[in-house]
Amino acid sequence: MTVPVPGGSLDVRVGGGAGPALVFVHYWGGSAGTWNGVIDHLPPGQATVRFDQRGWGASQALPGPYHLDQLADDLARVAGASVRGAFVLVGHSMGGKVSQLVAARRPAGLAGLVLVAPAPPQPPAAVTEEYRQGLSHAYDSPETVRHALDHVLTATPLPGILRDAAVRDSLAARAEARHEWPLRGIAQDVTGAARDIEVPVTVLAAADDVVEPPHVLRDHLLPHIPHATLTTVPGAGHLLPLEAPAAVATALGDFLTAIRR
């Protein structure tokens, strides 16, 4: 289906039927396809929604701005148009920060929030200007993307097909969208919004994540969403949906069971 948004429309993939629906929001460099492995491990018939965010993949022709508030507006429109009934936002990394902003708006039907190796609402001190400038060049070429995948984003090598897809996804972006997150979005403090989140929240951290390590999430996320629970997935890095899709799917199933009680 397509969902009208400012400047055009988003192609949205809707699957399954049984809710609450899981609305997936990909990381900086990802796509709707980032969640393929997770969805493959979910029970048949589970309702799912996913899409390429503005400026990425099938949505790269959409004009800016590409800042977090615009991405949150897009996500709110997607959820509102594609879900009838309850839904859970599932945001990874940058998508986790976008999802926090939407959850803080308390949209009708929102039943919960699952944050997968999320960018925390409070930027850590390590997110310096120098760090952000360097990060903005991570997806300059196939070679820089492969280096980021092999040495920063993952703890174990991805299978060739997944690695190739991740490279393509990271390069399939408007330049302005590719630069917005590292230069500005990652450093945006959204703690005020995070404190307005009222729905149940679970956080999945990866034990070997060097981008958003568990201790960063404990120090820079949990104090601002104190009712959130944090679970650490062993043997995985930042790209949890690609490295440990079964573990992510299991956590989602447990969360859905808990909120249905």
Side-chain angles (χ1 to χ4, degrees):
M1 66 178 293
T2 59
V3 174
V5 294
S9 62
L10 291 166
D11 290 326
V12 179
R13 305 183 200 176
V14 179
L22 299 173
V23 180
F24 293 99
V25 196
H26 67 75
Y27 72 104
W28 176 65
S31 72
T34 298
W35 301 101
N36 287 350
V38 175
I39 290 174
D40 287 345
H41 284 90
L42 293 173
Q46 169 64 51
T48 60
V49 176
R50 52 198 169 125
F51 65 105
D52 294 348
Q53 294 193 74
R54 180 179 295 263
W56 294 90
S59 304
Q60 63 181 295
L62 281 174
Y66 303 101
H67 53 62
L68 290 176
D69 288 333
Q70 180 61 65
L71 299 183
D73 288 347
D74 290 346
L75 174 56
R77 287 174 180 264
V78 167
S82 58
V83 178
R84 297 291 177 266
F87 66 95
V88 171
L89 293 175
V90 185
H92 176 214
S93 193
M94 178 185 81
K97 202 166 187 178
V98 174
S99 298
Q100 291 168 57
L101 289 175
V102 174
R105 300 177 183 182
R106 303 172 187 171
L110 181 65
L113 176 63
V114 177
L115 301 172
V116 181
Q122 179 187 40
V127 181
T128 62
E129 174 68 20
E130 181 181 9
Y131 172 84
R132 290 185 283 124
Q133 288 292 336
L135 185 62
S136 71
H137 295 289
Y139 299 158
D140 280 356
S141 68
E143 292 73 27
T144 60
V145 174
R146 292 188 189 103
H147 182 274
L149 286 170
D150 296 343
H151 300 286
V152 180
L153 294 174
T154 64
T156 55
L158 293 176
I161 293 176
L162 287 182
R163 185 171 179 265
D164 291 345
V167 171
R168 290 193 300 271
D169 285 346
S170 297
L171 297 172
R174 289 277 285 266
E176 301 96 325
R178 189 169 66 247
H179 292 143
E180 175 63 31
W181 171 251
L183 294 180
R184 286 169 286 275
I186 196 172
Q188 184 174 335
D189 189 316
V190 300
T191 53
R195 295 189 191 104
D196 287 335
I197 297 171
E198 293 184 336
V199 294
V201 181
T202 194
V203 182
L204 292 185
D208 300 320
D209 189 345
V210 300
V211 179
E212 306 294 357
H215 72 86
V216 165
L217 299 179
R218 282 193 290 268
D219 294 344
H220 295 271
L221 186 150
L222 293 184
H224 307 292
I225 314 177
H227 64 283
T229 61
L230 185 145
T231 300
T232 300
V233 179
H238 189 61
L239 297 191
L240 269 172
L242 299 179
E243 296 179 78
V248 175
T250 296
L252 291 173
D254 292 345
F255 185 73
L256 290 173
T257 299
I259 65 174
R260 286 181 181 127
R261 289 173 181 162

